[in-house]
């Protein structure tokens, strides 16, 4: 009887240790960049699981379409976390179809932390803080042009590989900084500024379609590129256009020259990233490493 109990104990210990070993060896099939996700950040999801032919997901109320890459044998997708998202763990609900046509349903918790954005004080021409009545038609026309451009984005991905810097110069103003213009108007800086003297070449960060290339009141001469699936990059305060609306561009293609037009304290490039209506941190997008082309 005692011997039987000893054998049973050894079996129990063996099964427990085996289970613990399996737990230690377990690696989640889902990973993301940046590893520490915060509000206002773009995010690159990677899903490594075999025998799938279709993958979609829902995250923070947005449907996300995954693409497969043979090089990493993984599925990947870009998404974003709005500036207004509160710190918490949010589910990424994955739906897929296997090669044998069986459906799969997976759920992963993705933790979002709180970003800490700085304050800054900016001085600009008074007309860009309290516009005169004669400027209202130009402001309204600019808003209409942007609304039209954002209304007809390509649902398919046009980008591939890593996103390149629009210029080779250093950055200055950071994304998310809360700004006070002329001691009155408060706003949040929803882009990344690059030091760029007038005439500095500005390049497309990735492949896409030119959906806007015209002067706007606050943005100055502005180019917007549609990269598909709701992702848009925006280039402001330009001095000269090198592309036209409707034109297809490749990654790294010259699209404009930098300037100081619009609401600007001086010559520089304001580079912004917009995903499905939300402005995201461009520096994070440039740091992501999607699978190669």
């Amino acid at each position: 009887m005692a011997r039987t109990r000893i054998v049973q104990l050894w079996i129990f210990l063996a099964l427990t240790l085996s289970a613990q070993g399996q737990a230690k060896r377990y690696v989640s099939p889902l990973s993301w960049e940046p590893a520490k996700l915060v509000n206002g950040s773009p995010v690159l999801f990677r899903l490594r699981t075999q025998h799938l032919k279709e993958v979609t997901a829902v995250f923070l109320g947005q449907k996300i379409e995954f693409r497969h890459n043979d090089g990493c044998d993984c599925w990947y997708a870009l998404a974003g976390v709005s500036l207004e998202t509160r710190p918490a763990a949010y589910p990424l609900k994955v739906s897929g179809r296997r090669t044998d046509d069986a459906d799969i349903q997976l759920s992963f918790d993705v933790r979002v932390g709180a970003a800490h954005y700085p304050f800054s004080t900016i001085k600009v021409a008074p007309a860009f803080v309290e516009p005169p009545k004669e400027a209202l038609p130009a402001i309204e026309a600019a808003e209409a042009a942007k609304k039209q451009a954002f209304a007809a984005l390509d649902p398919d991905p046009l980008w591939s590989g890593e996103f390149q810097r629009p210029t080779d110069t250093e950055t200055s103003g950071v994304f998310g900084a809360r700004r006070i213009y002329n001691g009155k108007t408060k706003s949040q800086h929803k882009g990344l500024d690059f030091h760029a003297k007038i005439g500095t070449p500005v390049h497309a960060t990735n492949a896409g379609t030119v959906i806007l290339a015209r002067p706007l009141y606050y943005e100055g001469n502005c180019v917007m590129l549609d990269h598909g699936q709701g992702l848009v990059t925006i280039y402001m305060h330009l001095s000269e256009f090198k592309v036209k609306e409707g034109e297809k561009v490749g990654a790294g293609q010259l699209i404009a020259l930098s300037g100081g037009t619009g609401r600007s304290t001086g010559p520089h490039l304001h580079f912004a990233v917009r995903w499905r209506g939300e402005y995201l941190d461009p520096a994070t997008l440039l740091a992501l490493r999607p699978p190669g082309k």
Side-chain angles (χ1 to χ4, degrees):
M1 188 73 170
R3 184 177 179 181
T4 302
R5 289 179 179 175
I6 292 173
V7 171
Q8 290 175 339
L9 177 61
W10 274 109
I11 292 174
F12 172 79
L13 289 174
L15 291 173
T16 301
L17 290 173
S18 176
Q20 290 176 346
Q22 290 177 359
K24 290 180 180 178
R25 290 195 300 270
Y26 173 77
V27 177
S28 172
L30 180 74
S31 61
W32 57 85
E33 300 175 41
K36 294 183 178 180
L37 192 57
V38 296
N39 58 309
S41 175
V43 55
L44 174 68
F45 289 113
R46 291 175 187 254
L47 183 66
R48 288 182 170 87
T49 184
Q50 297 179 338
H51 310 302
L52 292 180
K53 63 179 182 180
E54 180 183 319
V55 178
T56 60
V58 175
F59 181 60
L60 294 173
Q62 292 284 351
K63 183 179 179 181
I64 305 168
E65 299 81 12
F66 279 72
R67 288 189 276 173
H68 186 265
N69 180 270
D70 292 331
C72 66
D73 192 21
C74 68
W75 294 81
Y76 68 100
L78 272 178
V81 180
S82 76
L83 282 165
E84 290 73 31
T85 301
R86 295 183 177 181
Y90 295 93
L92 177 78
K93 297 183 178 180
V94 177
S95 300
R97 185 175 295 275
R98 292 168 47 93
T99 52
D100 61 2
D101 284 332
D103 292 331
I104 66 163
Q105 301 288 333
L106 302 171
S107 183
F108 304 91
D109 283 338
V110 179
R111 179 157 292 279
V112 176
H116 301 286
Y117 296 116
F119 279 85
S120 61
T121 300
I122 305 294
K123 183 142 183 93
V124 296
F128 291 109
V129 176
E130 297 179 352
K133 291 182 178 180
E134 54 268 27
L136 295 182
I139 295 173
E140 292 173 357
E143 292 301 313
K146 288 186 288 185
K147 184 177 180 179
Q148 181 178 6
F150 294 142
L153 301 181
D154 198 316
D156 297 320
L158 305 177
W159 65 276
S160 63
E162 297 177 8
F163 285 77
Q164 306 174 19
R165 292 167 64 91
T167 74
D168 294 328
T169 59
E170 295 182 355
T171 59
S172 53
V174 297
F175 174 84
R178 298 188 179 277
R179 290 182 162 181
I180 300 176
Y181 286 96
N182 296 4
K184 297 180 180 180
T185 302
K186 296 180 180 180
S187 69
Q188 194 161 17
H189 189 236
K190 295 182 178 179
L192 178 66
D193 289 341
F194 286 82
H195 290 293
K197 62 182 180 180
I198 295 177
T200 301
V202 177
H203 304 275
T205 59
N206 213 309
T209 303
V210 181
I211 55 173
L212 187 144
R214 65 179 70 182
L216 303 176
Y217 186 80
Y218 291 108
E219 297 85 350
N221 293 335
C222 180
V223 169
M224 297 184 181
L225 301 182
D226 173 18
H227 302 287
Q229 295 181 323
L231 182 65
V232 176
T233 54
I234 305 170
Y235 313 76
M236 301 182 190
H237 311 308
L238 308 170
S239 63
E240 186 176 338
F241 298 110
K242 295 295 183 180
V243 290
K244 297 179 180 179
E245 293 178 6
E247 184 177 342
K248 302 290 184 181
V249 298
Q253 181 176 330
L254 178 67
I255 59 173
L257 301 180
S258 67
T261 55
R263 185 165 71 179
S264 172
T265 57
H268 72 284
L269 171 67
H270 175 100
F271 172 57
V273 172
R274 192 176 191 266
W275 183 74
R276 299 183 183 177
E278 301 292 345
Y279 284 91
L280 306 177
D281 188 354
T284 302
L285 179 71
L286 297 176
L288 298 181
R289 297 294 175 257
K293 297 180 180 181

